Amino acid sequence: MSVSLYGSGNTVIQVVNSAFSIDVSTSSTSYVTSGVYATITPQSTTSKILVLVNSSAAFSGTSGNGLKCQLWRGTSGAASGSTIAANPFYFQINSSSSYSPFSINYLDSPSSTSALTYTVMMASASSGTVGFISGFGAGNNLATITL
């Protein structure tokens, strides 16, 4: 979904929303793509992009393991570019096998008018398996990213 509004000053000019039904897991401590991404073209070099992500994390193996997420911004499609936040977003669970909903909120200042793709990258904080899932239980929800 994409909505465009035209105004002056501090107004919302454009909204892009993407939803995914996913189930991706890794035990790697190196970042891999979660499969959640969205593309937006800023109207000006002073545009701000608010990135909102909602999903669920799955954990198995070592209690205390965590899911690390980074937001990447690139111009060549999903999983391109580099991280835009200095520190990863970290979600920890204290049981050996569990699910937990989470959200990420980040305000970016890209200084660009090129099409930009924001991708959620994921990694395990230790050697346990972590997952990036769209939901759990009956009536699974979708993983969403809104710009």
Side-chain angles (χ1 to χ4, degrees):
M1 175 183 80
S2 180
V3 176
S4 295
L5 305 172
Y6 297 96
S8 61
N10 295 320
T11 61
V12 174
I13 296 174
Q14 186 179 18
V15 177
V16 174
N17 179 264
S18 296
F20 302 87
S21 178
I22 58 167
D23 186 355
V24 179
S25 63
T26 186
S27 57
S28 173
T29 55
S30 298
Y31 285 95
V32 298
T33 184
S34 68
V36 175
Y37 63 93
T39 301
I40 193 168
T41 303
Q43 296 289 320
S44 75
T45 57
T46 59
S47 293
K48 307 277 190 226
I49 309 295
L50 179 61
V51 182
L52 307 171
V53 177
N54 289 292
S55 189
S56 296
F59 306 89
S60 65
T62 309
S63 177
N65 188 27
L67 171 69
K68 296 189 302 182
C69 292
Q70 285 187 338
L71 292 173
W72 284 21
R73 178 184 68 222
T75 57
S76 301
S80 70
S82 59
T83 185
I84 58 173
N87 297 308
F89 300 92
Y90 182 74
F91 308 97
Q92 183 176 356
I93 197 73
N94 290 321
S95 71
S96 60
S97 182
S98 187
Y99 299 93
S100 178
F102 70 89
S103 61
I104 297 172
N105 304 311
Y106 185 80
L107 184 62
D108 189 29
S109 300
S111 299
S112 174
T113 56
S114 298
L116 301 172
T117 299
Y118 290 83
T119 305
V120 182
M121 304 296 285
M122 60 179 267
S124 176
S126 64
S127 59
T129 300
V130 294
F132 198 102
I133 60 175
S134 53
F136 53 91
N140 290 346
N141 298 319
L142 298 174
T144 62
I145 181 169
T146 304
L147 308 175

